Amino acid sequence: MFSSVAHLARANPFNAPHLQLVYDGLAGPCSSPAGPPGPPRRSRNLAAAAVEEQYSCDYGSGRFFLLCGLGGIISCGTTHTALVPLDLVKCRMQVDPQKYKGIFNGFSITLKEDGVRGLAKGWAPTFIGYSMQGLCKFGFYEIFKVVYSNMLGEENTYLWRTSLYLAASASAEFFADIALAPMEAAKVRIQTQPGYANTLRDAAPKMYKEEGLNAFYKGVAPLWMRQIPYTMMKFACFERTVEALYKFVVPKPRSECSKGEQLVVTFVAGYIAGVFCAIVSHPADSVVSVLNKEKGSTASQVLQRLGFKGVWKGLFARIIMIGTLTALQWFIYDSVKVYFRLPRPPPPEMPESLKKKLGLTQ
């Protein structure tokens, strides 16, 4: 067991191509002998599944991208809405740390002041906003992954796959945040300004009347600061963790795992990725929460006022929320792919052409 954990720890998701080849024992004829050769491994690339299965569409087709977008809507919209109470308390801890001193204290005060119904404040903009974000995040990620892979070619796609995941996810999140920003602004107003508005129908017209369109998009830059690093970590860490789990932890090849077993691996990898996501994106999340509450403030002013300690308020609540959220999102997204019989490429393996260049095949 401990050797498996050690192997997994060394499988750094940000390894450079040369280091990755050395780590895999595939650095070419100049590398030191590693004992007798093991059984041959089947070649798989990033975009082709090795398992014989009847799919409902081709990988990279228009239908494939549309159904991936639908999976993003379902996974993001439902999970974020289900966690509205925790998100509400987390936001209040960020904007008023003197009053809301901790997660349990925050729940207690919210229940005392607003009742159980108050914990659902902001559910409508959360559901709409994060459904739109999920559509763009997952749908565009699949699109950009194919586009960038085609630009790199098969060999470079394998060697630079972590960079590909990072670039594709960052590109997708850029557009996803533009779709999310208006509803995120309305949600924060509803959750953190008592008496301002209780519903989206009340908040949106009031915000437009007071500040115009700027009220809905002034937080888009901080959103990019928060969400782009978060999404880059979410996708790259997930992809490489899945690869490492199948390589070092799961006792049999992915092709021999049932759909249920594969979804369990998806959930575990999603939770691991979610913990790192929460830590990376939390300071910017604090700025977004305060910025959307206050009129006339800029991101730099809010950051300066909060200070280093202030931007980390509510981190524990966010780790719980984002870890669970990310795991559930990947689980639901992968389940949608299974339900619609979409191609689900296995972890990538070195192309035969690259093996020949490195003298690894006869």
Side-chain angles (χ1 to χ4, degrees), residues 171-209:
S171 302
E173 189 60 38
F174 176 85
F175 296 101
D177 288 342
I178 295 173
L180 170 65
M183 293 297 103
E184 179 74 0
K187 181 205 75 170
V188 172
R189 292 287 181 94
I190 294 168
Q191 290 182 338
T192 62
Q193 288 188 290
Y196 184 84
N198 290 320
T199 66
L200 178 61
R201 284 179 298 179
D202 295 334
K206 191 172 182 180
M207 291 169 65
Y208 182 77
K209 184 178 179 180

Side-chain angles (χ1 to χ4, degrees), residues 283-299:
D285 181 66
S286 298
V287 174
V288 169
S289 296
V290 176
L291 189 66
N292 281 321
K293 178 192 174 186
E294 299 178 354
K295 298 178 185 177
S297 295
T298 65

Side-chain angles (χ1 to χ4, degrees), residues 80 83-95 100 106-107 109-111 114-123 126 187-188 190-192 289 317 321:
H80 277 279
L83 291 173
V84 160
L86 186 58
D87 185 45
L88 181 146
V89 172
K90 182 264 302 177
C91 284
R92 290 184 173 183
M93 287 170 61
Q94 290 170 328
V95 301
Y100 302 92
F107 270 108
I109 294 174
T110 301
L111 284 169
D114 301 327
V116 175
R117 193 174 179 181
L119 291 173
K121 275 188 174 182
W123 74 267
T126 298
K187 181 205 75 170
V188 172
I190 294 168
Q191 290 182 338
T192 62
S289 296
M321 185 182 82

Side-chain angles (χ1 to χ4, degrees), residues 296-306:
S297 295
T298 65
S300 59
Q301 290 172 339
V302 170
L303 185 61
Q304 187 174 13
R305 188 167 67 255
L306 288 175

